[in-house]
PDB file of all heavy atoms in Angstrom:
ATOM      1  N   ASN L 547      20.262  80.375  48.822  1.00 92.00           N
ATOM      2  CA  ASN L 547      20.752  80.743  50.152  1.00 92.00           C
ATOM      3  C   ASN L 547      22.265  80.554  50.198  1.00 92.00           C
ATOM      4  O   ASN L 547      22.779  79.487  49.842  1.00 92.00           O
ATOM      5  CB  ASN L 547      20.076  79.854  51.193  1.00 92.00           C
ATOM      6  CG  ASN L 547      20.474  80.230  52.605  1.00 92.00           C
ATOM      7  OD1 ASN L 547      20.078  81.270  53.109  1.00 92.00           O
ATOM      8  ND2 ASN L 547      21.265  79.373  53.243  1.00 92.00           N
ATOM      9  N   ASP L 548      22.986  81.595  50.605  1.00 90.00           N
ATOM     10  CA  ASP L 548      24.461  81.479  50.582  1.00 90.00           C
ATOM     11  C   ASP L 548      25.102  81.955  51.875  1.00 90.00           C
ATOM     12  O   ASP L 548      26.151  82.584  51.874  1.00 90.00           O
ATOM     13  CB  ASP L 548      25.042  82.242  49.385  1.00 90.00           C
ATOM     14  CG  ASP L 548      24.665  83.713  49.384  1.00 90.00           C
ATOM     15  OD1 ASP L 548      24.003  84.158  50.342  1.00 90.00           O
ATOM     16  OD2 ASP L 548      25.042  84.412  48.439  1.00 90.00           O
ATOM     17  N   GLY L 549      24.484  81.626  52.992  1.00 91.00           N
ATOM     18  CA  GLY L 549      25.083  81.960  54.278  1.00 91.00           C
ATOM     19  C   GLY L 549      24.089  81.725  55.397  1.00 91.00           C
ATOM     20  O   GLY L 549      22.887  81.580  55.175  1.00 91.00           O
ATOM     21  N   GLY L 550      24.589  81.672  56.628  1.00 94.00           N
ATOM     22  CA  GLY L 550      23.712  81.442  57.761  1.00 94.00           C
ATOM     23  C   GLY L 550      23.322  79.980  57.875  1.00 94.00           C
ATOM     24  O   GLY L 550      24.037  79.087  57.420  1.00 94.00           O
ATOM     25  N   ILE L 551      22.165  79.707  58.478  1.00 95.00           N
ATOM     26  CA  ILE L 551      21.737  78.323  58.661  1.00 95.00           C
ATOM     27  C   ILE L 551      21.364  77.706  57.316  1.00 95.00           C
ATOM     28  O   ILE L 551      21.024  78.410  56.362  1.00 95.00           O
ATOM     29  CB  ILE L 551      20.551  78.235  59.642  1.00 95.00           C
ATOM     30  CG1 ILE L 551      19.314  78.935  59.069  1.00 95.00           C
ATOM     31  CG2 ILE L 551      20.918  78.841  60.991  1.00 95.00           C
ATOM     32  CD1 ILE L 551      18.062  78.760  59.915  1.00 95.00           C
ATOM     33  N   ASP L 552      21.418  76.366  57.244  1.00 95.00           N
ATOM     34  CA  ASP L 552      21.044  75.696  56.010  1.00 95.00           C
ATOM     35  C   ASP L 552      19.576  75.276  56.059  1.00 95.00           C
ATOM     36  O   ASP L 552      18.886  75.483  57.068  1.00 95.00           O
ATOM     37  CB  ASP L 552      21.957  74.501  55.732  1.00 95.00           C
ATOM     38  CG  ASP L 552      21.874  73.427  56.828  1.00 95.00           C
ATOM     39  OD1 ASP L 552      20.905  73.433  57.634  1.00 95.00           O
ATOM     40  OD2 ASP L 552      22.784  72.581  56.887  1.00 95.00           O
ATOM     41  N   TYR L 553      19.108  74.661  54.974  1.00 95.00           N
ATOM     42  CA  TYR L 553      17.684  74.335  54.871  1.00 95.00           C
ATOM     43  C   TYR L 553      17.257  73.296  55.898  1.00 95.00           C
ATOM     44  O   TYR L 553      16.176  73.395  56.485  1.00 95.00           O
ATOM     45  CB  TYR L 553      17.348  73.846  53.465  1.00 95.00           C
ATOM     46  CG  TYR L 553      15.901  73.434  53.327  1.00 95.00           C
ATOM     47  CD1 TYR L 553      14.882  74.366  53.478  1.00 95.00           C
ATOM     48  CD2 TYR L 553      15.560  72.101  53.085  1.00 95.00           C
ATOM     49  CE1 TYR L 553      13.546  73.998  53.372  1.00 95.00           C
ATOM     50  CE2 TYR L 553      14.230  71.725  52.978  1.00 95.00           C
ATOM     51  CZ  TYR L 553      13.227  72.675  53.124  1.00 95.00           C
ATOM     52  OH  TYR L 553      11.909  72.309  53.030  1.00 95.00           O
ATOM     53  N   GLU L 554      18.091  72.299  56.139  1.00 96.00           N
ATOM     54  CA  GLU L 554      17.732  71.257  57.097  1.00 96.00           C
ATOM     55  C   GLU L 554      17.550  71.831  58.497  1.00 96.00           C
ATOM     56  O   GLU L 554      16.627  71.442  59.219  1.00 96.00           O
ATOM     57  CB  GLU L 554      18.792  70.148  57.095  1.00 96.00           C
ATOM     58  CG  GLU L 554      18.831  69.336  55.820  1.00 96.00           C
ATOM     59  CD  GLU L 554      17.481  68.696  55.505  1.00 96.00           C
ATOM     60  OE1 GLU L 554      16.809  68.212  56.443  1.00 96.00           O
ATOM     61  OE2 GLU L 554      17.098  68.692  54.316  1.00 96.00           O
ATOM     62  N   GLU L 555      18.400  72.760  58.874  1.00 97.00           N
ATOM     63  CA  GLU L 555      18.254  73.390  60.189  1.00 97.00           C
ATOM     64  C   GLU L 555      17.005  74.260  60.238  1.00 97.00           C
ATOM     65  O   GLU L 555      16.274  74.265  61.232  1.00 97.00           O
ATOM     66  CB  GLU L 555      19.490  74.220  60.539  1.00 97.00           C
ATOM     67  CG  GLU L 555      19.404  74.836  61.942  1.00 97.00           C
ATOM     68  CD  GLU L 555      20.654  75.591  62.356  1.00 97.00           C
ATOM     69  OE1 GLU L 555      21.655  75.530  61.603  1.00 97.00           O
ATOM     70  OE2 GLU L 555      20.631  76.225  63.424  1.00 97.00           O
ATOM     71  N   LEU L 556      16.754  74.992  59.155  1.00 97.00           N
ATOM     72  CA  LEU L 556      15.539  75.810  59.104  1.00 97.00           C
ATOM     73  C   LEU L 556      14.307  74.924  59.258  1.00 97.00           C
ATOM     74  O   LEU L 556      13.394  75.230  60.050  1.00 97.00           O
ATOM     75  CB  LEU L 556      15.469  76.561  57.775  1.00 97.00           C
ATOM     76  CG  LEU L 556      14.138  77.287  57.499  1.00 97.00           C
ATOM     77  CD1 LEU L 556      13.920  78.427  58.484  1.00 97.00           C
ATOM     78  CD2 LEU L 556      14.093  77.808  56.055  1.00 97.00           C
ATOM     79  N   LYS L 557      14.262  73.827  58.527  1.00 95.00           N
ATOM     80  CA  LYS L 557      13.110  72.939  58.573  1.00 95.00           C
ATOM     81  C   LYS L 557      12.900  72.391  59.983  1.00 95.00           C
ATOM     82  O   LYS L 557      11.774  72.336  60.489  1.00 95.00           O
ATOM     83  CB  LYS L 557      13.320  71.807  57.562  1.00 95.00           C
ATOM     84  CG  LYS L 557      12.101  70.962  57.321  1.00 95.00           C
ATOM     85  CD  LYS L 557      12.246  70.109  56.061  1.00 95.00           C
ATOM     86  CE  LYS L 557      13.417  69.183  56.115  1.00 95.00           C
ATOM     87  NZ  LYS L 557      13.419  68.195  54.994  1.00 95.00           N
ATOM     88  N   SER L 558      13.986  72.002  60.624  1.00 96.00           N
ATOM     89  CA  SER L 558      13.904  71.456  61.971  1.00 96.00           C
ATOM     90  C   SER L 558      13.408  72.496  62.971  1.00 96.00           C
ATOM     91  O   SER L 558      12.540  72.217  63.812  1.00 96.00           O
ATOM     92  CB  SER L 558      15.279  70.931  62.392  1.00 96.00           C
ATOM     93  OG  SER L 558      15.269  70.515  63.732  1.00 96.00           O
ATOM     94  N   ARG L 559      13.907  73.712  62.859  1.00 97.00           N
ATOM     95  CA  ARG L 559      13.545  74.744  63.832  1.00 97.00           C
ATOM     96  C   ARG L 559      12.128  75.268  63.601  1.00 97.00           C
ATOM     97  O   ARG L 559      11.423  75.598  64.543  1.00 97.00           O
ATOM     98  CB  ARG L 559      14.574  75.874  63.781  1.00 97.00           C
ATOM     99  CG  ARG L 559      15.944  75.400  64.260  1.00 97.00           C
ATOM    100  CD  ARG L 559      16.986  76.487  64.252  1.00 97.00           C
ATOM    101  NE  ARG L 559      16.683  77.550  65.219  1.00 97.00           N
ATOM    102  CZ  ARG L 559      17.522  78.562  65.473  1.00 97.00           C
ATOM    103  NH1 ARG L 559      18.706  78.612  64.840  1.00 97.00           N
ATOM    104  NH2 ARG L 559      17.198  79.487  66.340  1.00 97.00           N
ATOM    105  N   LEU L 560      11.688  75.311  62.341  1.00 96.00           N
ATOM    106  CA  LEU L 560      10.296  75.699  62.073  1.00 96.00           C
ATOM    107  C   LEU L 560       9.335  74.665  62.651  1.00 96.00           C
ATOM    108  O   LEU L 560       8.292  75.013  63.223  1.00 96.00           O
ATOM    109  CB  LEU L 560      10.059  75.843  60.564  1.00 96.00           C
ATOM    110  CG  LEU L 560      10.657  77.075  59.883  1.00 96.00           C
ATOM    111  CD1 LEU L 560      10.343  77.041  58.385  1.00 96.00           C
ATOM    112  CD2 LEU L 560      10.140  78.365  60.503  1.00 96.00           C
ATOM    113  N   ALA L 561       9.686  73.392  62.512  1.00 95.00           N
ATOM    114  CA  ALA L 561       8.840  72.328  63.063  1.00 95.00           C
ATOM    115  C   ALA L 561       8.740  72.444  64.577  1.00 95.00           C
ATOM    116  O   ALA L 561       7.671  72.218  65.164  1.00 95.00           O
ATOM    117  CB  ALA L 561       9.393  70.965  62.661  1.00 95.00           C
ATOM    118  N   ALA L 562       9.844  72.814  65.223  1.00 96.00           N
ATOM    119  CA  ALA L 562       9.843  72.950  66.678  1.00 96.00           C
ATOM    120  C   ALA L 562       9.048  74.169  67.135  1.00 96.00           C
ATOM    121  O   ALA L 562       8.482  74.180  68.242  1.00 96.00           O
ATOM    122  CB  ALA L 562      11.285  73.041  67.182  1.00 96.00           C
ATOM    123  N   LEU L 563       8.981  75.194  66.290  1.00 96.00           N
ATOM    124  CA  LEU L 563       8.290  76.432  66.656  1.00 96.00           C
ATOM    125  C   LEU L 563       6.774  76.355  66.497  1.00 96.00           C
ATOM    126  O   LEU L 563       6.043  77.123  67.128  1.00 96.00           O
ATOM    127  CB  LEU L 563       8.812  77.592  65.799  1.00 96.00           C
ATOM    128  CG  LEU L 563      10.191  78.149  66.145  1.00 96.00           C
ATOM    129  CD1 LEU L 563      10.658  79.103  65.052  1.00 96.00           C
ATOM    130  CD2 LEU L 563      10.156  78.863  67.495  1.00 96.00           C
ATOM    131  N   LYS L 564       6.291  75.469  65.676  1.00 94.00           N
ATOM    132  CA  LYS L 564       4.861  75.425  65.372  1.00 94.00           C
ATOM    133  C   LYS L 564       4.023  75.213  66.634  1.00 94.00           C
ATOM    134  O   LYS L 564       4.371  74.418  67.498  1.00 94.00           O
ATOM    135  CB  LYS L 564       4.570  74.314  64.362  1.00 94.00           C
ATOM    136  CG  LYS L 564       4.977  74.667  62.944  1.00 94.00           C
ATOM    137  CD  LYS L 564       4.520  73.608  61.940  1.00 94.00           C
ATOM    138  CE  LYS L 564       4.864  74.027  60.523  1.00 94.00           C
ATOM    139  NZ  LYS L 564       4.431  73.023  59.528  1.00 94.00           N
ATOM    140  N   GLN L 565       2.920  75.966  66.669  1.00 94.00           N
ATOM    141  CA  GLN L 565       2.001  75.870  67.797  1.00 94.00           C
ATOM    142  C   GLN L 565       0.594  75.576  67.286  1.00 94.00           C
ATOM    143  O   GLN L 565       0.160  76.166  66.291  1.00 94.00           O
ATOM    144  CB  GLN L 565       1.983  77.186  68.591  1.00 94.00           C
ATOM    145  CG  GLN L 565       3.311  77.568  69.205  1.00 94.00           C
ATOM    146  CD  GLN L 565       3.221  78.874  69.973  1.00 94.00           C
ATOM    147  OE1 GLN L 565       2.145  79.289  70.412  1.00 94.00           O
ATOM    148  NE2 GLN L 565       4.363  79.542  70.149  1.00 94.00           N
ATOM    149  N   PRO L 566      -0.133  74.686  67.944  1.00 94.00           N
ATOM    150  CA  PRO L 566      -1.505  74.395  67.528  1.00 94.00           C
ATOM    151  C   PRO L 566      -2.372  75.652  67.527  1.00 94.00           C
ATOM    152  O   PRO L 566      -2.316  76.458  68.463  1.00 94.00           O
ATOM    153  CB  PRO L 566      -1.987  73.395  68.596  1.00 94.00           C
ATOM    154  CG  PRO L 566      -0.740  72.803  69.172  1.00 94.00           C
ATOM    155  CD  PRO L 566       0.292  73.892  69.114  1.00 94.00           C
ATOM    156  N   GLY L 567      -3.131  75.827  66.430  1.00 93.00           N
ATOM    157  CA  GLY L 567      -4.016  76.984  66.342  1.00 93.00           C
ATOM    158  C   GLY L 567      -3.338  78.251  65.900  1.00 93.00           C
ATOM    159  O   GLY L 567      -3.980  79.305  65.813  1.00 93.00           O
ATOM    160  N   LYS L 568      -2.030  78.197  65.647  1.00 96.00           N
ATOM    161  CA  LYS L 568      -1.298  79.381  65.193  1.00 96.00           C
ATOM    162  C   LYS L 568      -0.526  79.028  63.916  1.00 96.00           C
ATOM    163  O   LYS L 568       0.707  78.944  63.907  1.00 96.00           O
ATOM    164  CB  LYS L 568      -0.343  79.891  66.268  1.00 96.00           C
ATOM    165  CG  LYS L 568      -1.055  80.507  67.463  1.00 96.00           C
ATOM    166  CD  LYS L 568      -0.080  81.206  68.397  1.00 96.00           C
ATOM    167  CE  LYS L 568      -0.810  81.931  69.514  1.00 96.00           C
ATOM    168  NZ  LYS L 568       0.127  82.672  70.412  1.00 96.00           N
ATOM    169  N   ASP L 569      -1.272  78.845  62.862  1.00 95.00           N
ATOM    170  CA  ASP L 569      -0.674  78.498  61.579  1.00 95.00           C
ATOM    171  C   ASP L 569      -0.186  79.751  60.865  1.00 95.00           C
ATOM    172  O   ASP L 569      -0.955  80.713  60.688  1.00 95.00           O
ATOM    173  CB  ASP L 569      -1.685  77.774  60.698  1.00 95.00           C
ATOM    174  CG  ASP L 569      -2.088  76.429  61.279  1.00 95.00           C
ATOM    175  OD1 ASP L 569      -1.230  75.779  61.901  1.00 95.00           O
ATOM    176  OD2 ASP L 569      -3.264  76.042  61.124  1.00 95.00           O
ATOM    177  N   ILE L 570       1.057  79.732  60.471  1.00 97.00           N
ATOM    178  CA  ILE L 570       1.632  80.840  59.698  1.00 97.00           C
ATOM    179  C   ILE L 570       2.030  80.281  58.341  1.00 97.00           C
ATOM    180  O   ILE L 570       2.918  79.437  58.236  1.00 97.00           O
ATOM    181  CB  ILE L 570       2.839  81.464  60.416  1.00 97.00           C
ATOM    182  CG1 ILE L 570       2.395  82.045  61.756  1.00 97.00           C
ATOM    183  CG2 ILE L 570       3.475  82.543  59.542  1.00 97.00           C
ATOM    184  CD1 ILE L 570       3.537  82.566  62.606  1.00 97.00           C
ATOM    185  N   VAL L 571       1.362  80.753  57.317  1.00 97.00           N
ATOM    186  CA  VAL L 571       1.596  80.270  55.963  1.00 97.00           C
ATOM    187  C   VAL L 571       2.783  81.009  55.354  1.00 97.00           C
ATOM    188  O   VAL L 571       2.855  82.240  55.417  1.00 97.00           O
ATOM    189  CB  VAL L 571       0.336  80.499  55.097  1.00 97.00           C
ATOM    190  CG1 VAL L 571       0.605  80.111  53.652  1.00 97.00           C
ATOM    191  CG2 VAL L 571      -0.838  79.707  55.661  1.00 97.00           C
ATOM    192  N   VAL L 572       3.704  80.265  54.780  1.00 97.00           N
ATOM    193  CA  VAL L 572       4.847  80.854  54.078  1.00 97.00           C
ATOM    194  C   VAL L 572       4.708  80.552  52.593  1.00 97.00           C
ATOM    195  O   VAL L 572       4.679  79.388  52.191  1.00 97.00           O
ATOM    196  CB  VAL L 572       6.185  80.299  54.594  1.00 97.00           C
ATOM    197  CG1 VAL L 572       7.350  80.904  53.808  1.00 97.00           C
ATOM    198  CG2 VAL L 572       6.346  80.576  56.087  1.00 97.00           C
ATOM    199  N   SER L 573       4.593  81.593  51.785  1.00 97.00           N
ATOM    200  CA  SER L 573       4.541  81.442  50.329  1.00 97.00           C
ATOM    201  C   SER L 573       5.734  82.159  49.718  1.00 97.00           C
ATOM    202  O   SER L 573       6.248  83.133  50.286  1.00 97.00           O
ATOM    203  CB  SER L 573       3.233  82.010  49.774  1.00 97.00           C
ATOM    204  OG  SER L 573       2.130  81.230  50.190  1.00 97.00           O
ATOM    205  N   VAL L 574       6.154  81.667  48.554  1.00 97.00           N
ATOM    206  CA  VAL L 574       7.396  82.159  47.947  1.00 97.00           C
ATOM    207  C   VAL L 574       7.165  82.512  46.481  1.00 97.00           C
ATOM    208  O   VAL L 574       6.509  81.756  45.750  1.00 97.00           O
ATOM    209  CB  VAL L 574       8.517  81.102  48.050  1.00 97.00           C
ATOM    210  CG1 VAL L 574       9.818  81.644  47.453  1.00 97.00           C
ATOM    211  CG2 VAL L 574       8.726  80.670  49.492  1.00 97.00           C
ATOM    212  N   ILE L 575       7.726  83.637  46.051  1.00 97.00           N
ATOM    213  CA  ILE L 575       7.817  83.973  44.639  1.00 97.00           C
ATOM    214  C   ILE L 575       9.289  83.866  44.249  1.00 97.00           C
ATOM    215  O   ILE L 575      10.129  84.615  44.755  1.00 97.00           O
ATOM    216  CB  ILE L 575       7.288  85.391  44.346  1.00 97.00           C
ATOM    217  CG1 ILE L 575       5.802  85.475  44.688  1.00 97.00           C
ATOM    218  CG2 ILE L 575       7.523  85.756  42.882  1.00 97.00           C
ATOM    219  CD1 ILE L 575       5.206  86.870  44.515  1.00 97.00           C
ATOM    220  N   ALA L 576       9.599  82.892  43.392  1.00 96.00           N
ATOM    221  CA  ALA L 576      10.969  82.664  42.944  1.00 96.00           C
ATOM    222  C   ALA L 576      11.167  83.372  41.612  1.00 96.00           C
ATOM    223  O   ALA L 576      10.508  83.059  40.622  1.00 96.00           O
ATOM    224  CB  ALA L 576      11.237  81.169  42.799  1.00 96.00           C
ATOM    225  N   LEU L 577      12.089  84.308  41.593  1.00 95.00           N
ATOM    226  CA  LEU L 577      12.306  85.178  40.437  1.00 95.00           C
ATOM    227  C   LEU L 577      13.584  84.790  39.710  1.00 95.00           C
ATOM    228  O   LEU L 577      14.652  84.677  40.322  1.00 95.00           O
ATOM    229  CB  LEU L 577      12.379  86.628  40.925  1.00 95.00           C
ATOM    230  CG  LEU L 577      12.761  87.720  39.929  1.00 95.00           C
ATOM    231  CD1 LEU L 577      11.757  87.793  38.790  1.00 95.00           C
ATOM    232  CD2 LEU L 577      12.836  89.066  40.649  1.00 95.00           C
TER     233      LEU L 577
END
Side-chain angles (χ1 to χ4, degrees):
N547 183 71
D548 58 3
I551 65 174
D552 62 17
Y553 177 64
E554 292 303 320
E555 183 176 353
L556 171 66
K557 191 165 59 170
S558 174
R559 294 181 66 174
L560 286 179
L563 285 170
K564 284 187 176 180
Q565 298 180 23
K568 290 189 175 182
D569 295 326
I570 298 174
V571 175
V572 178
S573 292
V574 182
I575 297 176
L577 173 61

